[in-house]
Amino acid sequence: MADLNLNFENDSTSEEWAPALANLSTPLLNSKLTTLRSQSSTLSSTLTAKLASSPSGQSLLHIGPSLSTLPPDLHSLLTAVTPMLEQVRQYEKHNQKELVRIVTAGKLIERECRRAEHSKDCTQILRDLVAVEKILEQDQKNSNSNFNANAKAYAKGSSSSEYNNSSNEEEKRDDYTNGNGNGEQQEQVVSSSDGNGNGNVVDKDTNENIQATNELNRMASLERVAYATLHLMHQLNSSSEQITSALQGHKTNANVNANANANANASNKKKGDSKSSKANANANGNGNGGTGTGTGTVIMLLPSMDTPLTQDTEKAQFLMKLAPRIRALEKNAFRSISQHLELILKRKLRMSRERERQRDNTQPNSNSENEKSSTSTSSGMNTNTNHPIEEDQRLLLGHLFRSFALLGRGSDAESMFASVAIMPIVRKKISIGKLDEGGSRGECAGLSPLLKEIVSDIKDLWGDVLQLVESIFDMSMEMEHYNKDIHIHYLSTNTTKGGLARTSDSDKSKIDLVTAGVWVPIARALMTDPAIKTAIFSPGIASIFQANYSVLEKFLSQLSFNLLKPSSSESIEEKESGVETADSTFGGDEDKLALTELYYEPDIDTNLIRVAQARIYGHGTTVEFSKKWNLPIYYQLRFGEVCARLEKAIQQVESDGWHAEVYSGSGSDEVVHSLTKNYGFELPFFMEVFDTLRWLWGPEVFLKPLTHRFLRGTIQILGRVISFIKDGLEGKIKFGSEAAPSSSSIDGASESALGTGEDTSLSTTMPKIDRSYCWNERIEDVASVSWELTILETYLKEEHVQNVLKTLNSSGPEHLGGDEMSSLIGEVMVEAAQDISPVVDTVWNEIIVNILTAKCTAPLSAVKGVAATYRMTNRPPPTQASPFVGTILRSLQEFDTTFSSRTPSYLGTLWKKTIVDTIADLYSTAVAELIETVQRTEEALKNRKVRRAAAGGMSDGEKVRLQLFLDQQAFSRSIEDV
């Protein structure tokens, strides 16, 4: 039995111990069962005690009334827990259904609330649409009734005298169409009288005030129409985008589902029918919202009120049904606003013409300034911009321009202002006759007065409108990024191609009358007319081309300032008159006088003017206008003139020498005297070079876009001058030429020969005289040229840089980067003049040194004659230096005296030290050779015993040595003098 004892705690498998159990007897199995039950009971009691003593075990109290009731094994535990779990599962399922019901009801309520809000919005949109349609319809009826009423009154002859005297039928029609108020009010005549015959005047003024008020109300209504149209268009565009997004979303979901089904079918084919059916069953179970009891880990998301509602296109569909009416509304609003703007602009022009005609009619009849003032006052020609009529016009135009901006039609307003308001002035002023006024044909002498007159007329007539629009549509913030990058010159290479274009909706809602309304029509008028275009932009005559460019550049650079600047006379008048001016302006109307402080006054500052100028430079028309100037051809012409002057001067100098009269500048005598006095120039050639450089950068020649070319031309001119001087210093160029005898002598000989009948063939065979020479051998020429080069170098590095910067700043808009540009030009000029210093150094340290050394060494040949003077001559000992010693350094002394004030200071005395050192060395060598010769002679005489004592006891050799000593002392003193 001991052998049959089985240890179930071993890791043996059931296949190993199953046969052994089959061989056991029944009593033995019962004993084993009793033992196992006892062990199980002991282990269960131990487990129960541990659960009761641990905090985590107490969580099992809900399973039974006490720990003693726990089942003895796990099977019993599962059996007892399963019904409770099923109840929990049913409870959770019931709660989920209730949550779904509550959330569904809540979402339905939320959806209905949203529909109610959308209904209110749609109702309001429809009301706005109907309201603005009625406003436009009423405006059209008023315009038609006013036109009919005015036409009827004009046909009866009851219209005002301005229509009877006007010859422009278009102006009459404009006035009919632009009638104010209702037709019945215009036909109505109030004939009350105060007994003095003034009743009609009062009624007329009252009627005019009513008409002005009605017109102002209509323009305000049109602005509200534009605002409502803008809102409706935004709603319509938003609805269109919403529907498009919804359609794309449905299409995307359909594609996703189709791809998912295709992938599922493909996976089913690979896994087999059994697995696919199981996967489909699980998918169906999970899709039905159940939690499933299988082993899957799919988690169902519970519904929540925080989940946003699905997109609803009901409102969008309603707006899409109104799309035709909204687009028709936009079209009709734009047409109505355009008509009113055109008519008001034309009316303002007509009023200006009437004032001009009245002024022309009243001025001949006035005999004094007082009569002119009284006549102007009586005729009502008040040019003050605060006049009630002018103020009403500004208010009307403000409403209309804002309406254009709201509709996103800013470019249309600009085009209409340009064609209706500006082009008549431009066409009236610009002509080829006025362009040549004050000069001969083709000179364009009248261009500057013509442009000033155009700007003056535009400022007088439309200045208040330009200020108003510029202040309303303040574009300073939008232009900040542009001002950082653009070069403030309209020919800058940094300007973008095509200029600044409207690329966004915010740009389309801005109106720029200064650029598109004023500058563009002026530029088009100058560029489109063939005769004017040829006269202005043709580079055939450089002086005319430069003058035209300078005039137009100055005009363009000051355009925004001249158009937007507040009138100084108005400011002074406002300060001096105060309330009294307002009282007189509004004719004592207390209501209008009380509202004067509420009127909008444009606030134009320097920042707005600067931004407006930047827009002008960045506009595409400005870029196109700049391309009309053929600047490279102009530079070639000007540089050709400079090269011709320089080459002519060089040829004349080669022929007649450095002192040839080659200066060809204006005011020759005065300028030459000034150059000599102020700068120190003496040679006419360098005066010509100086004048050439100054002329090239003069305001009558220089153009700012060609700055880089003019700098390069300056370097080329200096390079040509330095090359010419270097060639002369190297002996490559000879001055003078092989010339025959003077023409006077030749002509006289010919005439005498002809008079006597002799043969004149000998005159043609006479030898020519060679007068050529290398000027580098003439120390005066070399030193003079060196000094002139030094003066030119100093001018280039200092004064010429300032002249260039002054020309740059005065030739157009303020130049960007003043310090940087000054530094750049200074570096260029230093680089251009850097080749002058080596030439000057070579002249003084080599050529002048060599020439003076050669001259000073010539007297040294007399050193050998000292010995001959005392050899066997029985002369007394010397008491003074030899005469030649004083001539050794005479050339150096004379040169130094002559050119001491014309020697560059930075050279110092090195060149003189070099000359003295060289001469001293040669002198010492000559003396040494002489002493050696004397010594050899003395030795020879001593050997022959023919030596005899000289007078005073000194030998000939000693006399020679004494003479050399005296000469050395004299030479040392001459060196100290130098």
Side-chain angles (χ1 to χ4, degrees):
M1 294 297 292
D3 296 335
L4 295 177
N5 188 13
L6 298 176
N7 188 4
F8 292 100
E9 296 179 357
N10 294 334
D11 295 334
S12 59
T13 61
S14 60
E15 288 81 0
E16 296 178 356
W17 51 264
L21 290 175
N23 297 326
L24 294 177
S25 60
T26 301
L28 183 59
L29 291 175
N30 290 331
S31 175
K32 291 290 183 182
L33 179 61
T34 303
T35 303
L36 292 175
R37 286 179 177 175
S38 176
Q39 291 178 354
S40 175
S41 177
T42 304
L43 294 173
S44 177
S45 300
T46 304
L47 177 62
T48 302
K50 289 182 178 181
L51 290 176
S53 60
S54 63
S56 59
Q58 295 179 3
S59 61
L60 297 176
L61 294 175
H62 67 280
I63 298 176
S66 64
L67 293 176
S68 60
T69 60
L70 288 174
D73 53 8
L74 295 177
H75 179 72
S76 300
L77 178 63
L78 292 175
T79 303
V81 169
T82 298
M84 184 177 61
L85 292 178
E86 184 64 24
Q87 293 177 0
V88 171
R89 191 178 298 113
Q90 293 297 330
Y91 179 75
E92 182 180 4
K93 185 177 181 181
H94 173 73
N95 289 340
Q96 288 180 355
K97 290 182 179 179
E98 188 67 17
L99 177 63
V100 169
R101 185 186 67 80
I102 294 174
V103 171
T104 302
K107 288 297 180 182
L108 181 61
I109 296 173
E110 185 177 352
R111 188 181 300 109
E112 293 301 323
C113 291
R114 185 179 65 179
R115 289 191 65 191
E117 293 295 331
H118 287 175
S119 299
K120 292 180 180 179
D121 295 341
C122 293
T123 302
Q124 187 62 40
I125 290 173
L126 184 59
R127 288 177 180 175
D128 294 341
L129 178 60
V130 173
V132 295
E133 287 177 343
K134 288 183 178 180
I135 293 176
L136 289 178
E137 182 179 0
Q138 184 64 31
D139 180 75
Q140 188 64 31
K141 288 181 179 179
N142 291 336
S143 299
N144 294 334
S145 62
N146 293 332
F147 175 77
N148 296 330
N150 288 327
K152 181 178 179 181
Y154 179 74
K156 293 179 179 180
S158 59
S159 61
S160 61
S161 60
E162 62 181 86
Y163 297 103
N164 297 329
N165 297 330
S166 176
S167 59
N168 192 338
E169 296 298 332
E170 182 180 0
E171 292 181 359
K172 297 176 184 178
R173 183 185 179 279
D174 295 340
D175 192 62
Y176 300 154
T177 311
N178 199 32
N180 302 319
N182 297 326
E184 294 80 2
Q185 292 177 351
Q186 291 184 0
E187 293 180 351
Q188 203 173 26
V189 178
V190 181
S191 59
S192 61
S193 176
D194 58 357
N196 296 323
N198 297 326
N200 292 333
V201 176
V202 174
D203 295 338
K204 181 179 180 180
D205 294 340
T206 303
N207 193 24
E208 289 179 355
N209 292 332
I210 294 175
Q211 293 175 2
T213 302
N214 291 337
E215 186 178 16
L216 185 59
N217 291 335
R218 289 169 62 187
M219 298 304 107
S221 299
L222 289 178
E223 184 177 356
R224 291 193 294 271
V225 168
Y227 181 80
T229 304
L230 174 66
H231 176 69
L232 293 174
M233 289 301 301
H234 284 174
Q235 293 287 341
L236 180 61
N237 294 333
S238 177
S239 300
S240 178
E241 293 176 357
Q242 184 179 357
I243 291 178
T244 302
S245 176
L247 293 176
Q248 291 178 351
H250 290 313
K251 185 176 180 180
T252 302
N253 293 334
N255 294 333
V256 171
N257 293 333
N259 294 332
N261 293 332
N263 295 332
N265 293 332
S267 62
N268 290 337
K269 290 181 180 180
K270 292 182 180 180
K271 293 180 179 179
D273 295 336
S274 61
K275 293 183 179 181
S276 64
S277 61
K278 183 177 180 180
N280 292 333
N282 291 334
N284 292 333
N286 294 333
N288 292 330
T291 56
T293 59
T295 60
T297 59
V298 178
I299 299 176
M300 187 191 72
L301 296 177
L302 297 177
S304 173
M305 290 298 296
D306 296 333
T307 304
L309 293 173
T310 58
Q311 189 177 14
D312 183 17
T313 60
E314 187 175 6
K315 178 181 177 181
Q317 292 175 1
F318 174 79
L319 285 170
M320 293 304 296
K321 292 181 181 179
L322 296 178
R325 293 178 62 181
I326 295 176
R327 293 192 175 92
L329 172 66
E330 182 188 20
K331 181 179 179 180
N332 295 332
F334 172 70
R335 182 174 61 243
S336 179
I337 294 170
S338 300
Q339 290 176 353
H340 284 289
L341 178 60
E342 181 179 3
L343 295 175
I344 292 176
L345 293 176
K346 288 182 177 179
R347 182 172 63 190
K348 188 174 177 65
L349 274 176
R350 187 177 65 253
M351 294 170 61
S352 175
R353 292 169 184 168
E354 291 174 0
R355 287 196 296 266
E356 291 180 0
R357 285 196 295 266
Q358 293 177 6
R359 188 181 300 111
D360 295 339
N361 294 332
T362 55
Q363 283 182 353
N365 298 327
S366 60
N367 298 324
S368 64
E369 294 297 330
N370 294 332
E371 291 178 355
K372 290 182 181 180
S373 301
S374 61
T375 305
S376 176
T377 304
S378 62
S379 60
M381 292 185 298
N382 188 358
T383 59
N384 191 344
T385 56
N386 288 330
H387 191 274
I389 297 179
E390 300 294 339
E391 186 67 34
D392 291 342
Q393 298 293 332
R394 282 207 305 174
L395 293 175
L396 297 176
L397 291 174
H399 286 302
L400 293 175
F401 282 122
R402 284 191 294 269
S403 301
F404 272 100
L406 289 172
L407 294 177
R409 299 294 189 95
S411 58
D412 295 298
E414 295 167 354
S415 300
M416 183 174 295
F417 182 81
S419 60
V420 177
I422 304 302
M423 282 307 297
I425 300 177
V426 174
R427 282 192 292 263
K428 180 181 178 181
K429 299 294 182 181
I430 296 181
S431 64
I432 193 65
K434 291 188 176 181
L435 192 64
D436 295 329
E437 188 175 353
S440 60
R441 185 171 181 82
E443 291 185 356
C444 299
L447 180 60
S448 180
L450 175 62
L451 295 175
K452 291 181 180 179
E453 187 177 356
I454 291 175
V455 173
S456 177
D457 290 351
I458 295 175
K459 169 66 177 176
D460 293 341
L461 183 57
W462 302 107
D464 56 342
V465 178
L466 295 175
Q467 293 175 2
L468 175 67
V469 174
E470 191 68 26
S471 182
I472 292 176
F473 304 99
D474 185 358
M475 289 178 275
S476 58
M477 299 299 295
E478 290 81 352
M479 293 296 294
E480 284 184 357
H481 67 282
Y482 175 68
N483 290 335
K484 294 179 181 179
D485 300 331
I486 190 172
H487 197 289
I488 306 185
H489 191 276
Y490 75 92
L491 287 179
S492 170
T493 56
N494 294 333
T495 306
T496 56
K497 183 177 181 181
L500 293 179
R502 286 185 169 90
T503 57
S504 62
D505 294 338
S506 61
D507 294 333
K508 294 179 181 179
S509 63
K510 302 292 184 180
I511 297 179
D512 183 9
L513 294 185
V514 174
T515 302
V518 177
W519 161 238
V520 171
I522 295 176
R524 294 297 180 191
L526 296 176
M527 292 189 296
T528 54
D529 189 282
I532 296 177
K533 176 182 176 181
T534 303
I536 293 178
F537 298 103
S538 177
I541 302 177
S543 58
I544 297 177
F545 181 88
Q546 196 273 344
N548 293 341
Y549 182 91
S550 300
V551 168
L552 283 167
E553 182 187 25
K554 183 178 181 181
F555 162 78
L556 190 59
S557 65
Q558 300 176 354
L559 182 59
S560 63
F561 176 77
N562 292 332
L563 292 175
L564 298 177
K565 66 178 180 179
S567 176
S568 58
S569 61
E570 292 176 5
S571 301
I572 295 173
E573 183 179 355
E574 291 173 359
K575 291 181 180 180
E576 293 179 351
S577 59
V579 180
E580 295 180 359
T581 303
D583 193 5
S584 60
T585 298
F586 291 98
D589 192 337
E590 296 181 357
D591 294 336
K592 288 189 175 182
L593 182 60
L595 296 175
T596 53
E597 297 182 355
L598 301 178
Y599 283 178
Y600 175 76
E601 289 296 335
D603 184 13
I604 303 297
D605 55 7
T606 56
N607 183 52
L608 280 178
I609 295 176
R610 180 181 60 84
V611 170
Q613 190 64 45
R615 294 198 308 270
I616 293 176
Y617 284 140
H619 197 268
T621 302
T622 310
V623 178
E624 181 183 358
F625 186 80
S626 66
K627 294 179 180 178
K628 300 296 181 181
W629 301 100
N630 199 339
L631 296 179
I633 296 297
Y634 169 77
Y635 173 75
Q636 293 176 8
L637 294 175
R638 289 300 194 183
F639 190 68
E641 295 180 23
V642 173
C643 293
R645 287 182 60 182
L646 186 60
E647 292 301 327
K648 182 179 178 180
I650 290 175
Q651 292 177 4
Q652 193 169 351
V653 168
E654 290 178 357
S655 176
D656 301 334
W658 284 110
H659 293 277
E661 297 295 335
V662 298
Y663 181 73
S664 60
S666 60
S668 300
D669 296 337
E670 297 179 358
V671 174
V672 168
H673 179 72
S674 174
L675 293 178
T676 303
K677 180 180 179 181
N678 298 331
Y679 297 97
F681 286 111
E682 295 180 356
L683 298 181
F685 176 78
F686 287 93
M687 295 181 185
E688 182 74 359
V689 174
F690 175 86
D691 186 74
T692 298
L693 294 176
R694 190 167 58 178
W695 176 83
L696 190 65
W697 289 93
E700 68 281 356
V701 176
F702 173 76
L703 293 180
K704 182 172 288 187
L706 298 174
T707 302
H708 62 293
R709 293 179 182 265
F710 278 85
L711 288 173
R712 184 179 62 188
T714 301
I715 297 174
Q716 291 175 341
I717 292 172
L718 292 175
R720 178 68 179 97
V721 172
I722 295 174
S723 176
F724 170 66
I725 295 174
K726 283 183 176 180
D727 292 341
L729 293 175
E730 295 173 0
K732 297 179 181 179
I733 298 178
K734 288 187 177 183
F735 284 5
S737 60
E738 294 182 356
S742 62
S743 59
S744 61
S745 62
I746 296 177
D747 294 341
S750 301
E751 291 174 359
S752 61
L754 291 173
T756 58
E758 297 178 358
D759 187 9
T760 60
S761 59
L762 294 176
S763 64
T764 61
T765 59
M766 294 179 64
K768 295 182 179 181
I769 301 174
D770 186 7
R771 298 179 179 176
S772 62
Y773 65 94
C774 293
W775 65 271
N776 63 338
E777 299 175 354
R778 297 186 176 184
I779 191 170
E780 294 80 5
D781 289 350
V782 173
S784 297
V785 170
S786 172
W787 177 244
E788 302 289 314
L789 284 175
T790 303
I791 296 174
L792 184 62
E793 180 183 12
T794 304
Y795 168 75
L796 288 173
K797 292 181 178 179
E798 297 177 1
E799 186 175 347
H800 189 64
V801 176
Q802 300 301 323
N803 292 339
V804 171
L805 292 176
K806 183 179 179 180
T807 304
L808 284 172
N809 294 330
S810 63
S811 62
E814 185 176 352
H815 204 78
L816 288 178
D819 296 337
E820 182 180 357
M821 180 58 62
S822 177
S823 176
L824 177 62
I825 293 177
E827 293 176 1
V828 172
M829 291 297 104
V830 170
E831 182 180 357
Q834 68 182 359
D835 293 336
I836 296 180
S837 295
V839 175
V840 175
D841 293 339
T842 301
V843 167
W844 285 93
N845 296 322
E846 294 182 13
I847 297 177
I848 292 179
V849 167
N850 293 336
I851 293 175
L852 291 177
T853 301
K855 289 183 178 182
C856 293
T857 54
L860 295 179
S861 60
V863 174
K864 297 179 180 179
V866 174
T869 303
Y870 293 99
R871 184 181 301 124
M872 298 180 183
T873 58
N874 198 21
R875 288 188 177 184
T879 58
Q880 61 183 4
S882 302
F884 75 90
V885 176
T887 64
I888 295 176
L889 298 179
R890 181 179 298 172
S891 298
L892 177 59
Q893 291 174 345
E894 293 176 353
F895 178 82
D896 188 34
T897 302
T898 304
F899 292 95
S900 60
S901 61
R902 292 179 288 176
T903 303
S905 58
Y906 66 88
L907 292 176
T909 60
L910 178 62
W911 62 280
K912 290 191 289 185
K913 184 177 182 299
T914 302
I915 296 173
V916 172
D917 291 342
T918 303
I919 295 174
D921 292 340
L922 294 175
Y923 186 37
S924 300
T925 302
V927 171
E929 292 176 354
L930 179 60
I931 292 175
E932 184 180 358
T933 302
V934 170
Q935 288 178 352
R936 288 197 303 265
T937 303
E938 288 179 348
E939 291 293 333
L941 294 175
K942 181 179 180 181
N943 294 335
R944 296 179 183 179
K945 297 181 180 181
V946 294
R947 179 181 179 188
R948 57 179 180 174
M954 294 183 66
S955 64
D956 295 341
E958 292 173 347
K959 292 178 183 180
V960 171
R961 291 184 180 90
L962 179 59
Q963 183 63 57
L964 292 177
F965 174 73
L966 295 175
D967 293 345
Q968 186 270 336
Q969 288 182 336
F971 182 71
S972 299
R973 287 193 297 270
S974 63
I975 291 177
E976 293 176 358
D977 294 338
V978 173

